[in-house]
Structure formats: C-alpha cells, structure tokens
Amino acid sequence: MTLTELTSTEPATGEILWTGEAGDADAAVANARTAWPKWAALPVTQRIEAVRKYANRVRAHSEELAELISRETGKPLWESRTEVDSVINKVDISVTAFAERTPQRKLSSPDNMRAALRHKPHGVLAVLGPYNFPAHLPNGHIVPALIAGNTIVFKPSEKTPAVGQFMFEMFEKAGLPKGVVNILQGGPDAGKKLASSEDINGLLFTGSAQTGVALNRQFASRPDKILALEMGGNNPIIVWDTDDIHSAAVLVVQSAFLTAGQRCSAASRMIVKDGLYDRVVKEVKRIADRLIIDGPFSNPAPFMGPVIDNHTADGLTESFLALMSHGGRPIKHMARPIDDRPFLTPGIIDVTSMAERPDIELFGPILQVMRVNDFEEAIAEANNTRYGLSAALIGGSAAQFDLFWSHSRAGIVNWNKMTVGASSEAPFGGIGLSGNHRPSAYYAADYCAYPVVSMEANQAKATIGIGLKDEENGN
C-alpha cells in the first residue's frame, strides 16, 4: 500500500504531532541532478562554509529540535539534547575527516612529470534515515556527502517525518542552493522507488538488516553505484573476573536499555562466567528494577521512554514470550505499564538452556543471559551470530582482552565500557549482517568520494625505444 499522506504521533501520549503529504521521488532526484554540477564545482571551502551555516542554524534552534525529537521518538529530553549536540559537532568532525581521508596530495614521480591524488564526488546520493536517531544518523551521511560535493535526496523514516522535515528546513534556511538537499517524505514504497532510480549515483542506508540485505541484492548488478549499509546487531557483552559487580551491572544496564534498547549497538546478550552469575544477574536486575520509565518531559527525568510505537511494543512482547516458550527462564518479566501506549519495562531472560537461540536483532529492551564455564566458551558464544557490530568485555585481564579483541567478529570491541556510545571521531560499522564494510561516522568520507590518480606533464613528449621496425629497410 502506497502512503500518500503521513501522520506522526507521539509515542508517549498518542497525540498527533505532524501530518504531511508523501513526496515525488522522481522530482526530488531530478532537482538534485540539476543542482549537482554547480555544487560540485564550488571550491570545497565554500561547501564547508555552507554546512557551517547549517550547523549554526541548528545551534540557534537546538532546544526546539531536541523537544521535537523527544516528542516524535519518546526518548528523554536529556538524550535528545545529546543527539542535537552530535548533529552540530558533526560538521567540524566531517571537515577534519574529509581532509584526512580524502586529501589532495602529490605522489612521487619522475622529474619530467607530476603525479597527483584527488577525490571526486559521486553525484546524487540517496540517504535513507532510521527512527531511533532521526537527526544524528542521517546527518552523519548528509554532511560529509555535501562537503565532498554530492547533492542529496533524504528520505526520513515514515515513523519520524517531523524531525526529517525540520532538518530539511534548517538546510533551506542556511541558504544552501535549491536542489542541493531535497526531502522525500513517504513510506517504504517511496524508499523503494528512490533506491531504484536510475539517476542516483548511490545510496547511504541506516536501518534493519532485512532492508539492508534487500538493498544489497538490488545493487548487486550495479557496481557503478556506491552502497553504504549500516545495519543492526545482536551484540554480546561478556562479564568476567571482576570485584566491582555494581559497575559491571551498570555498564550492562546502560548497554542494554539506553534509548529503550533501540540502538543498533545495544547489548542483546550478556555472557557471564558461571562463578559470577548469581551476583551479576542479581545486581543487573536490581538496577533494572530501579529504572524510571516515563514520558520524555517527566520530572524526575526518566532513564528511558517508550519504544517507537505500539506495533513495535507488541512485537517485542511477543518475542519475549517466544523466548520463554522455547526454554528461556525469565529473570525480569517484560511488562506494558500502559495498555495503549508503547512503554515497556526491561525484560531479562536466561537462555542458557535453549536448544536453539534466535539470531535476530531484538530492537528494544530485552536482554538475554547466558552462563559459561571458561573464557574460550565465552568468546565462542559472543561470536555465535551472523551480526558483527559491537562487543564488550567487562572485567578480565589485559591478556584476556587482547584475546577477546583478536578473536571478536565485530567492528567495535570495548573493554570495561558500554557497547553503545561510540565516538563520532572514530569509524562506526560492523561485519556480517551489520554492514558491508563501509563504516560510517569518521570514515563516512571514504564512501562520499572516490579517488582519482593523475600522471601529468606540461607537454606531450614520448618515444618508443624498442620493438619498432627500422624505417630505412623495413626490418
């Protein structure tokens, strides 16, 4: 079914926040195509100046944007403010990354010529954004792509169209030339039409593995188009030898339940040394029981708000029940405090005895727990997934972390830190079903431009010194 009108409701209240009409993918791409030559021809300093004006515009409206994010996603206001800060800071980080990752430089060459490395933009790039960080994550594609000289067609998630519209208006008010950034509102059909357009030069995606795999298949016969996929995770957090059980439990709770578990790097699986199991699980449950779950503007401030909508909440509740019915032992039952609103209490369940554990991304506040006997078993269990985004070891020795790091199949491997909260000044991405080896964040510059190597001389001067017939006798 094609969506022609969109309505966004606030998860915490059910009130209508925004309504609008779906856009025209072909028209948006055509506008971007028309604008691209002039934008790409501008000196990079002018493109950087333009995105700095955008960042200043966001800074001037930072509280308005934070409140909008909280209303549309349900996340606490304090968390939305950190998201807005990331949007603003992304510009300076992207400028540095562009200079470092896609430089112009001379290469060694013979005396009579020059060799140079430069980078060119791809052209028109489509950006498909997610709902969990509806400003920060698409912004992380758009800003480096603009600096590199691309033009953009941005399709926000149909679950967070208001934040997407706000961002587009910030680009407009910052004075970017018409057509450089275009917004395409709509449902999944609009995204499919945009992805299949012959006139885009690539697509930058953040979202589910299911959609990412479909895009990968679609682009398999199009090596001429760049495709960057940042997908989900089934992320492990190992708790090993540690005397500070409380700190270990805090790190687990933060990893599993920040943003109501709606982070691609959230910890889905806690793997615990058998001898620590009782103490660690007891403390994780004790802290989880204390978490304040409430609306985004409540006082005292909540740790987490609702998930994005009732459909998502229903699916997570069913997933928790499915784990129980297949041998999982509930430690903390997941509950719906308000029947018609998507608030969920954290669910914690021991799946050690399950014959087959589902290797899926449970995008919400569900933590599966496994007990193991030795460290090699813990690493094997951590790697027992088709995903490979984030992993963490809490406790253990330096030698054990080195072993964990070298054997982990993940793009982010932490020690005594959360699985979430990666730095924007580092690459962000994973392997397997978590990505296609094109990490975002600091390394986004890599997929926003392609390298061009030139051998150059002021005039053509060449001879063939071997393999020619003698001109006089034809030999």
Side-chain angles (χ1 to χ4, degrees), residues 30-168:
N31 289 340
R33 176 62 58 195
T34 299
W36 178 63
K38 288 185 179 180
W39 178 252
L42 287 176
V44 66
T45 53
Q46 291 187 29
R47 297 197 297 266
I48 290 172
E49 181 183 358
V51 294
R52 287 197 194 282
K53 288 180 179 178
Y54 155 74
N56 289 335
R57 180 66 62 172
V58 173
R59 185 180 289 109
H61 295 272
S62 59
E63 192 64 10
E64 183 182 354
L65 177 55
E67 291 178 3
L68 182 61
I69 293 170
S70 286
R71 291 177 68 191
E72 192 160 44
T73 66
K75 68 173 67 174
L77 182 59
W78 63 263
E79 187 178 357
S80 296
R81 286 170 174 157
T82 66
E83 180 171 354
V84 174
D85 287 342
S86 296
V87 170
I88 296 168
N89 295 336
K90 184 63 184 179
V91 172
D92 284 341
I93 292 170
S94 297
V95 170
T96 302
F98 178 80
E100 180 181 312
R101 304 292 301 176
T102 55
Q104 295 188 22
R105 61 187 178 91
K106 293 181 179 179
L107 306 176
S108 59
S109 60
D111 292 339
N112 65 338
M113 67 176 64
R114 298 179 302 275
L117 170 66
R118 304 179 184 90
H119 289 77
K120 288 184 178 181
H122 296 285
V124 176
L125 295 182
V127 174
L128 301 184
Y131 64 77
N132 59 333
F133 287 87
H136 168 51
L137 291 179
N139 186 74
H141 291 308
I142 294 170
V143 167
L146 290 175
I147 291 172
N150 302 281
T151 53
I152 302 296
V153 179
F154 166 40
K155 187 208 166 294
S157 167
E158 60 273 15
K159 297 185 179 185
T160 51
V163 173
Q165 192 70 34
F166 189 97
M167 290 177 62
F168 171 67

Side-chain angles (χ1 to χ4, degrees), residues 157-305:
S157 167
E158 60 273 15
K159 297 185 179 185
T160 51
V163 173
Q165 192 70 34
F166 189 97
M167 290 177 62
F168 171 67
E169 290 171 2
M170 291 296 99
F171 281 111
E172 276 196 322
K173 292 176 180 178
L176 270 74
K178 184 177 177 58
V180 170
V181 177
N182 305 268
I183 190 164
L184 174 65
Q185 297 283 14
D189 285 345
K192 290 176 182 177
K193 188 169 184 181
L194 176 61
S196 62
S197 172
E198 283 294 320
D199 286 333
I200 64 169
N201 298 99
L203 187 145
L204 315 179
F205 170 78
T206 305
S208 71
Q210 181 180 1
T211 302
V213 168
L215 288 169
N216 194 59
R217 290 196 186 102
Q218 179 180 335
F219 278 69
S221 62
R222 298 305 304 265
D224 55 314
K225 296 179 185 285
I226 188 75
L227 177 65
L229 301 174
E230 197 278 282
M231 299 181 286
N234 186 13
N235 307 300
I237 185 166
I238 298 174
V239 182
W240 213 247
D241 296 322
T242 177
D243 294 327
D244 193 345
I245 299 296
H246 175 72
S247 291
V250 167
L251 290 169
V252 170
V253 167
Q254 290 175 321
S255 296
F257 304 132
L258 275 172
T259 323
Q262 297 173 119
R263 295 193 182 200
C264 52
S265 55
S268 303
R269 299 174 292 134
M270 179 173 71
I271 302 161
V272 190
K273 185 177 182 179
D274 186 53
L276 291 177
Y277 180 91
D278 290 339
R279 286 183 293 159
V280 170
V281 169
K282 180 180 179 180
E283 186 65 6
V284 168
K285 182 181 183 300
R286 187 184 73 84
I287 296 171
D289 285 339
R290 294 179 59 203
L291 297 180
I292 298 173
I293 304 161
D294 210 338
F297 307 104
S298 300
N299 188 15
F303 177 86
M304 62 185 242

Side-chain angles (χ1 to χ4, degrees), residues 299-317:
N299 188 15
F303 177 86
M304 62 185 242
V307 295
I308 191 66
D309 56 27
N310 284 323
H311 176 75
T312 300
D314 291 342
L316 289 164
T317 303

